Amino acid sequence: MTHSVPLNASQFSLPGLGVIIMAAGLGKRMKSAVAKVLHPVAGRPMVLYIVDIANRLAEQGVAVVVGHQGADVRKAVEGAGAHVAVAEQTRQLGTGHAVLQARSVFAGDPQRKPSRYLILNGDTPLLTEATVRELLAMHEAQGAAVTLLTAVLEDASGYGRVLRRRRDEWIQGAADNAVQTIVEDKDASEDERHVREINVGTYVVDGEFLFPALEKLNPRNAQGEYYLTDIVQMAVQQGRAVSALRLRDIDEGLGINSRVQLAEAERVIRRRIRERWLEAGVTMRDPASTWIDVEVTIGCDTVLYPNVTLEGRTVIGEETVVHSGSRITDCIIGNRVEILDHCILRESQVEEGAHLGPFVHLRPGVRVRRKAKVGNFVEMKKTELGEGSKANHLSYLGDAKIGAGVNIGAGTITCNYDGWNKFQTVIGDQVFIGSDVQLIAPVTIGSGVIIAAGTTVTQDVPADALVLSRIPQVTREGWAARRRSLQSGETAASPPLEKSAKTVKSSTDSVKKKQPAVQRSKRR
Ligand code: UD1
Ligand code: CA
């Protein structure tokens, strides 16, 4: 069953090229509940790396074959805005069978039938567009029926081996050393297992040749599957040319079947990403510990300290500094922002010249305006902090709109939740809030207001007012000294521990009648 989505031709695409991506496999060796091709590499599902290349090259459209957890794969691919048609492979009968499921995607208009197909495994995210273009060029130049990408590995175990014609089998008209067949690891003889040249899983196949060949496949092999790789042998038997391009950078051929290979791919992609940003003018104090997802962008002269993590679609401006241990996910950070150590920022926006940290937690929906400051142990959520305003110590600011030039005192809390609903706090410009203030939302504070330290604000306050809510202070002169002498006199006189404890208690009890605060401090 196929579902058509408008097929798209980009300006860099190759005329007559259709692309088929195999992404239906089970991925058993991953031991995961998540479809293998959806496991992220540098923050992006691995299949999307391949979809990207396909989208840039295909003129006659891209078909992605999904099966195992197909709905999730479809969602990821379509959600990435890729112009693809999805074909379903309901039973995973092998790579040859998978490609065959894409046939109807290209069956429509005979005028637009691909003259050749590029076929890609969904699990080779390190492959580059440049290599694929080179493969396509080789295919054209050699007029081949099948052109495949190979790599010579130190350890080829697990991969299909590329068997070439030996010199002693030289056949009239055939190129020396030409590829003869691909044998899967599980089907290979002892001798064949020693071959170190592997099939990467990237092929260009002649448009007339592909589907008739796939129809002739049979599953007589160790895995009982329809192997796409058998079309190589078929082409050779029909006297058609098969050409092969050997990878210079073998990393590109890494196929991900296990978590070990996933970690290896992650390492390579992360290194590539770092090199790209270093080249673009970003300073990294310790590149190896700097973690940058593939969709992040960073302005030049920005400095990243060790152990910084930039995730998702984060955008960082120019001349910004991010200190150690900070993690920034899906944020937009302006130019010349300073982020001190150990900040966690998510889905928020920080404008030019702002200053954050250390230990700031921005939850989704925060906007820190120009030159504002957020400091030690401040948590914010769905809150705007106006230009030049400061919240430097120990605060929770949620569902609040705070104007410009505001001072948020240490320990200020917006009490935004009554157990059922969330409410807004609105604070005008130039408001001064002293330390340890609670704002019981919904509440609006007019501009220029001063709120005294320790105040609990429960009602709206008009502009320029003073708000003060405190229990009046009680001061008893000499009281503390008298209590100390009373206590030390009695303990010195009575050595047995139990007895002394008792005496102290009774003496406290007598004091308690006059001053309950003493009893409280005693309990601590
Ligand atoms: C395949 C190749 C092998 C090559 C290796 C490179 C075959 C028979 N073998 O082996 O020669 O060295 O890739 O990494 O092609 N898939 C489907 N439907 C299926 C089976 C697989 O869509 O029924 C998809 C998978 O999702 C995956 C790709 O095809 O993206 C490759 O399948 P996988 O099972 O990983 O093949 P390998 O055994 O690695
Ligand atoms: Ca594989």
Side-chain angles (χ1 to χ4, degrees):
M1 191 175 40
T2 58
H3 304 257
S4 6
V5 169
L7 299 179
N8 161 58
S10 90
Q11 65 186 112
F12 305 110
S13 61
L14 297 178
L17 182 70
V19 183
I20 301 169
I21 298 172
M22 295 173 279
L26 234 56
K28 264 188 240 143
R29 290 161 280 182
M30 292 294 280
K31 304 203 173 70
S32 174
V34 176
K36 174 173 81 173
V37 296
L38 292 185
H39 277 261
V41 178
R44 197 157 195 247
M46 69 173 91
V47 68
L48 295 185
Y49 288 85
I50 294 299
V51 168
D52 267 0
I53 293 180
N55 263 318
R56 287 198 292 268
L57 293 173
E59 188 205 49
Q60 301 300 341
V62 179
V64 179
V65 183
V66 306
H68 186 68
Q69 288 167 335
D72 294 345
V73 178
R74 173 198 296 272
K75 220 171 100 194
V77 167
E78 290 176 353
H83 294 273
V84 297
V86 171
E88 275 175 34
Q89 184 192 28
T90 41
R91 291 171 65 208
Q92 281 67 64
L93 301 177
T95 49
H97 180 259
V99 174
L100 199 50
Q101 308 313 301
R103 181 183 221 165
S104 55
V105 170
F106 301 97
D109 181 357
Q111 298 290 298
R112 292 181 54 93
K113 225 167 143 215
S115 57
R116 62 231 188 285
Y117 293 93
L118 168 66
I119 303 172
L120 302 162
N121 275 2
D123 63 354
T124 52
L126 300 184
L127 195 65
T128 64
E129 184 182 334
T131 296
V132 176
R133 282 188 186 273
E134 204 180 325
L135 189 76
L136 285 156
M138 177 183 240
H139 183 83
E140 303 297 276
Q142 307 207 348
V146 182
T147 302
L148 59 130
L149 193 60
T150 76
V152 178
L153 304 185
E154 209 49 65
D155 174 13
S157 55
Y159 289 98
R161 309 298 207 283
V162 177
L163 305 186
R164 290 179 180 261
R165 182 176 287 122
R166 296 203 311 265
R167 279 164 203 280
D168 55 354
E169 290 174 335
W170 193 81
I171 295 169
Q172 183 89 43
D176 189 16
N177 227 11
V179 172
Q180 216 173 9
T181 189
I182 296 172
V183 58
E184 290 305 300
D185 192 62
K186 290 200 172 95
D187 299 283
S189 67
E190 198 49 41
D191 268 2
E192 289 164 344
R193 286 217 174 94
H194 286 120
V195 171
R196 287 166 46 224
E197 186 174 17
I198 63 112
N199 166 36
V200 167
T202 305
Y203 321 81
V204 185
V205 184
D206 178 70
E208 298 294 326
F209 176 79
L210 179 65
F211 291 112
L214 291 177
E215 283 185 328
K216 290 189 212 111
L217 293 177
N218 69 67
R220 287 192 290 274
N221 51 55
Q223 304 185 80
E225 289 183 358
Y226 295 90
Y227 289 165
L228 171 62
T229 44
D230 284 351
I231 66 169
V232 168
Q233 193 180 359
M234 235 181 256
V236 171
Q237 278 161 2
Q238 290 176 21
R240 301 285 305 267
V242 172
S243 51
L245 176 68
R246 251 184 218 158
L247 278 177
R248 284 177 296 271
D249 173 7
I250 56 168
D251 283 348
E252 282 195 47
L254 181 67
I256 295 174
N257 301 312
S258 67
R259 306 269 183 162
V260 171
Q261 287 165 327
L262 179 66
E264 179 64 12
E266 181 94 15
R267 191 183 62 79
V268 173
I269 293 224
R270 297 244 175 238
R271 194 196 62 220
R272 281 188 196 164
I273 294 168
R274 287 194 304 260
E275 281 170 7
R276 173 153 60 95
W277 291 115
L278 289 165
E279 298 285 355
V282 173
T283 294
M284 293 174 210
R285 285 290 159 83
D286 176 27
S289 75
T290 309
W291 216 240
I292 306 168
D293 277 1
V294 67
E295 288 172 274
V296 168
T297 64
I298 312 170
C300 74
D301 285 324
T302 279
V303 180
L304 306 176
Y305 277 73
N307 295 306
V308 162
T309 303
L310 306 178
E311 294 181 327
R313 302 203 165 159
T314 291
V315 176
I316 309 253
E318 298 176 358
E319 295 175 49
T320 281
V321 182
V322 185
H323 286 261
S324 295
S326 290
R327 177 150 72 101
I328 306 178
T329 309
D330 293 319
C331 287
I332 299 173
I333 311 290
N335 300 333
R336 288 171 286 283
V337 169
E338 186 173 25
I339 299 173
L340 295 184
D341 309 59
H342 301 288
C343 293
I344 298 175
L345 320 180
R346 174 179 287 275
E347 294 166 50
S348 291
Q349 204 172 328
V350 179
E351 294 182 358
E352 174 154 8
H355 185 103
L356 302 186
F359 301 104
V360 163
H361 186 187
L362 300 188
R363 291 164 49 203
V366 170
R367 185 160 188 161
V368 177
R369 293 281 188 184
R370 290 179 70 246
K371 298 193 170 170
K373 285 186 170 179
V374 185
N376 312 265
F377 303 101
V378 172
E379 172 185 350
M380 294 172 77
K381 184 215 77 170
K382 276 198 197 154
T383 285
E384 176 176 335
L385 183 67
E387 185 167 338
S389 292
K390 295 177 200 162
N392 273 336
H393 326 270
L394 299 160
S395 284
Y396 171 65
L397 303 170
D399 302 302
K401 188 171 181 338
I402 301 166
V406 171
N407 178 76
I408 305 283
T412 295
I413 291 171
T414 53
C415 308
N416 60 331
Y417 185 52
D418 64 358
W420 289 270
N421 296 303
K422 300 283 171 74
F423 300 97
Q424 271 267 314
T425 299
V426 179
I427 299 171
D429 294 341
Q430 309 299 328
V431 167
F432 179 91
I433 303 183
S435 296
D436 190 28
V437 164
Q438 300 87 49
L439 300 149
I440 314 286
V443 71
T444 299
I445 313 293
S447 61
V449 163
I450 294 179
I451 305 179
T455 296
T456 301
V457 183
T458 54
Q459 290 160 21
D460 290 355
V461 181
D464 298 319
L466 166 72
V467 202
L468 175 80
S469 77
R470 283 183 197 154
I471 297 168
Q473 183 169 330
V474 177
T475 307
R476 296 191 200 286
E477 282 184 27
W479 190 96
R482 282 200 300 281
R483 188 185 180 282
R484 276 195 295 274
S485 65
L486 188 66
Q487 196 165 353
S488 63
E490 288 197 27
T491 33
S494 46
L497 228 142
E498 268 182 35
K499 216 176 171 190
S500 104
K502 227 179 180 177
T503 334
V504 171
K505 191 159 185 282
S506 67
S507 81
T508 337
D509 283 347
S510 67
V511 179
K512 189 180 142 198
K513 286 179 192 105
K514 287 178 229 152
Q515 185 46 268
V518 174
Q519 176 72 27
R520 247 184 280 133
S521 69
K522 186 72 182 90
R523 275 204 205 119
R524 273 188 206 135

